[in-house]
Amino acid sequence: MFRYAIIFAVIALVAALLGFGGVAGLSADFAKILLIVGVVLFVVAFVFGRGRRAL
């Protein structure tokens, strides 16, 4: 998830440098959404994964 967020952020930067504002904005929005989803999934996995340890 984080990999795709970084890829979309790089695409947004390159598109902005080349003057493609629409593509840059859309890619930046996708990067933000994927980053938020990735962080939420990480926190959920961290919280619920701690209680299931086998001894």
Side-chain angles (χ1 to χ4, degrees):
M1 193 71 62
F2 293 118
R3 177 185 294 168
Y4 291 123
I6 292 170
I7 289 171
F8 275 111
V10 169
I11 291 172
L13 287 173
V14 170
L17 288 175
L18 295 176
F20 298 108
V23 175
L26 190 61
S27 296
D29 288 340
F30 280 145
K32 288 178 192 175
I33 290 169
L34 289 174
L35 184 65
I36 291 170
V37 170
V39 168
V40 168
L41 288 175
F42 175 76
V43 169
V44 167
F46 183 74
V47 168
F48 288 116
R50 295 189 80 193
R52 298 182 186 214
R53 290 188 182 164
L55 294 175

